[in-house]
Amino acid sequence: MLSKLLVKLYSYVVIYRHIFRCKIKNKVHKRKAEKDRVIILTAGGIGDAIVSLQAYKALCDYFMSLNKELYLITDAALHTGLKMVLSEKYEEIQWRICDFLNGKMDRDKLYSFQTLTKELREFKIERIIIMSNIMVQYRRACYVAACLDPGVVNAGLYDSYPQGIRRRFRLYAIENIFYRINRLPDGLHESIFWKRFINKIGEFDYKVSIPYIERQCAYNPGGGEKGYLVIAVDSSNVKRRWPSENFIELINKLLKMVRYDIVLTASNVTEATREQYETAFHGCSRVIVLIGMLTTGEWVELVRGAQFVVGVDSGIIHVAAAVSTQAFCITGAWNGHRFYPYIQEKRNEMTIEPKCIYRGDIDVGQLSCANCISKAYYGYGNHSCKNQIKAGKPVLCLLNVSPDDVLRTIGEAFILTANREDY
């Protein structure tokens, strides 16, 4: 516990010392580029790239039309997602990957943060835009922006502050570095949040829709004449995970109800998780475990060829929607309609909306902790749920979604039955 505290303290000392030095140097020396530079700071996953793509494209189109030099600084995961869905039209955008924006603050990321800001300070920066509604990403993007000392900063964040005096004070101190903070109310759908945010920067006329992902590679997952379905058995976010026991029960029931092969994959799991599923389905030729064995392109094509996809709220659900594969998302109630169901202002014939799966024993709209994702903690308003999350376990409402709830939702779409030859 003490070592973690010391590492965190060291991180903040390095960050604020670097910001202070940058502030002094910015007043002494700044070299002017041929064109004014606009920087977009953002982080997230592949799913974030798909949901917020129109906002990124609108901003890029706007500043490129003004003949601005555009830099997009992201973490590695969001960079992968945006590269998949952005067209060749945006090849002239300059990219920098800074994993300091997401994840733990280890020494390597702190040094990469300093290297990045030293490079960018050599140019004239007209504006910085922080596209984040996640507190950790937002705060770290603020550190980068503070080092660059731009004329205007547009920062997007939901209108909620973290719990506790220390966290509130730290965020207040960071925000006062800037000239302009755009806060938006809680409870907005992700795509609408970004649309409102960028409309505070300029007038943008676009319609929210699901982007289509073009073929990524020649990967052919096979599946024979019967075909296959995909089950994503994990999530990169511990709070969103569904127990492995539930997945194993669901898979065993599906094996009796459908004739498809079942391919298991995941976005971010440990070797032990793969071994767990290999052991559970040892000798069953219809269950194919591909956890951690595919490239990003192969993973996308696996999803494209599936009959349908089942998983928790993670990137695979958004990818399935973007390649026209029906997805079933085990969401629990915590989502609060922030990501699902999609709000589409313009329909795309090449895509398909995912279906949500909630716990079947109650009305999720009546839960006191519904929409807790927009608060500082998951499980907001429910102390037993909050304590469970602090212990590294999923939210309670997600745990209470049963395999039968999942089968019932799938059955409503496909009428799965062991007696039908179709399956």
Side-chain angles (χ1 to χ4, degrees):
M1 183 67 180
L2 181 60
S3 61
K4 288 183 179 180
L5 185 62
L6 290 174
V7 169
K8 200 168 186 179
L9 181 61
Y10 168 79
S11 301
Y12 286 121
V13 169
V14 171
I15 290 168
Y16 282 111
R17 183 181 65 183
H18 185 61
I19 291 175
F20 180 71
R21 290 171 61 189
C22 289
K23 288 289 186 184
I24 295 175
K25 290 182 180 180
N26 284 338
K27 294 179 180 179
V28 176
H29 167 72
K30 185 177 291 186
R31 192 169 61 205
K32 185 175 181 180
E34 294 181 1
K35 292 190 290 187
D36 290 341
R37 177 172 296 187
V38 175
I39 295 176
I40 299 176
L41 282 162
T42 182
I46 290 176
D48 297 298
I50 294 172
V51 172
S52 54
L53 178 69
Q54 279 80 10
Y56 289 108
K57 290 174 68 175
L59 283 173
C60 292
D61 289 341
Y62 176 71
F63 289 114
M64 289 166 66
S65 69
L66 298 176
N67 198 32
K68 305 297 182 183
E69 185 178 349
L70 190 62
Y71 256 65
L72 200 55
I73 301 175
T74 73
D75 63 340
L78 186 63
H79 175 263
T80 300
L82 287 173
K83 280 290 188 180
M84 283 197 305
V85 291
L86 284 176
S87 65
E88 295 180 358
K89 171 184 174 183
Y90 302 97
E91 287 297 322
E92 63 184 87
I93 296 174
Q94 300 188 59
W95 297 78
R96 288 293 183 274
I97 297 175
C98 183
D99 277 328
F100 168 81
L101 295 172
N102 213 347
K104 295 181 180 179
M105 290 193 294
D106 55 40
R107 180 169 296 190
D108 291 339
K109 290 182 180 179
L110 288 173
Y111 288 147
S112 69
F113 152 72
Q114 293 186 53
T115 302
L116 173 72
T117 54
K118 286 177 181 177
E119 173 194 343
L120 296 177
R121 268 193 304 112
E122 294 299 313
F123 295 87
K124 180 182 178 182
I125 300 170
E126 178 181 322
R127 175 179 287 185
I128 290 181
I129 298 169
I130 299 176
M131 294 186 66
S132 176
N133 50 18
I134 299 175
M135 197 67 69
V136 173
Q137 296 171 0
Y138 172 76
R139 189 169 66 239
R140 294 185 187 178
C142 287
Y143 294 147
V144 177
C147 293
L148 303 180
D149 197 26
V152 177
V153 173
N154 295 90
L157 191 69
Y158 280 115
D159 188 17
S160 61
Y161 282 88
Q163 305 294 312
I165 295 176
R166 180 175 59 85
R167 289 187 175 92
R168 285 175 179 266
F169 177 79
R170 188 169 63 197
L171 186 61
Y172 175 81
I174 291 168
E175 286 191 343
N176 275 270
I177 294 169
F178 299 115
Y179 302 91
R180 185 182 304 167
I181 301 296
N182 289 320
R183 283 187 167 272
L184 293 170
D186 290 325
L188 292 177
H189 191 276
E190 192 84 351
S191 58
I192 301 302
F193 171 88
W194 290 124
K195 186 170 183 177
R196 288 197 190 180
F197 169 65
I198 67 170
N199 280 333
K200 290 179 177 289
I201 298 173
E203 290 297 326
F204 299 91
D205 183 21
Y206 70 85
K207 302 293 183 182
V208 176
S209 64
I210 307 173
Y212 178 69
I213 298 178
E214 300 288 346
R215 186 164 293 279
Q216 299 293 298
C217 63
Y219 178 70
N220 182 9
E225 296 180 358
K226 296 179 181 179
Y228 64 92
L229 60 92
V230 172
I231 297 183
V233 295
D234 207 346
S235 169
S236 57
N237 190 324
V238 176
K239 306 172 188 68
R240 303 178 188 177
R241 291 178 180 172
W242 206 43
S244 297
E245 296 76 17
N246 286 10
F247 273 118
I248 291 171
E249 181 183 344
L250 173 65
I251 293 165
N252 282 322
K253 290 185 176 182
L254 280 170
L255 287 171
K256 298 176 182 178
M257 300 175 71
V258 302
R259 63 188 181 95
Y260 303 133
D261 289 340
I262 299 178
V263 180
L264 306 185
T265 183
S267 57
N268 184 18
V269 295
T270 63
E271 188 71 19
T273 304
R274 185 170 74 187
E275 292 176 355
Q276 179 181 5
Y277 285 97
E278 287 175 339
T279 301
F281 298 102
H282 179 71
C284 180
S285 61
R286 291 181 58 200
V287 178
I288 305 167
V289 181
L290 296 181
I291 297 171
M293 300 172 64
L294 300 175
T295 65
T296 302
E298 291 171 342
W299 178 65
V300 171
E301 296 313 310
L302 175 75
V303 174
R304 191 191 305 272
Q307 299 295 326
F308 60 87
V309 171
V310 180
V312 295
D313 180 16
S314 65
I316 194 169
I317 303 298
H318 299 292
V319 168
V323 296
S324 196
T325 298
Q326 182 63 68
F328 296 92
C329 182
I330 307 169
T331 60
W334 60 267
N335 178 272
H337 304 299
R338 177 172 160 186
F339 301 101
Y340 308 109
Y342 284 172
I343 296 178
Q344 291 194 79
E345 299 173 316
K346 181 181 179 181
R347 297 287 165 177
N348 188 340
E349 295 180 357
M350 301 291 287
T351 61
I352 187 169
E353 293 190 26
K355 295 183 181 296
C356 297
I357 302 171
Y358 298 106
R359 53 190 287 190
D361 59 329
I362 60 169
D363 179 0
V364 295
Q366 301 301 316
L367 284 178
S368 61
C369 57
N371 198 24
C372 61
I373 192 170
S374 65
K375 308 297 181 182
Y377 296 107
Y378 289 79
Y380 179 86
N382 185 323
H383 290 289
S384 59
C385 186
K386 188 186 299 183
N387 292 335
Q388 176 161 303
I389 292 163
K390 288 181 178 180
K393 297 179 181 179
V395 288
L396 283 176
C397 57
L398 189 63
L399 291 177
N400 288 328
V401 178
S402 70
D404 289 334
D405 292 329
V406 178
L407 290 172
R408 181 172 57 253
T409 305
I410 296 174
E412 291 173 356
F414 292 101
I415 319 177
L416 302 182
T417 171
N419 299 321
R420 287 195 54 176
E421 296 182 358
D422 299 2
Y423 300 93

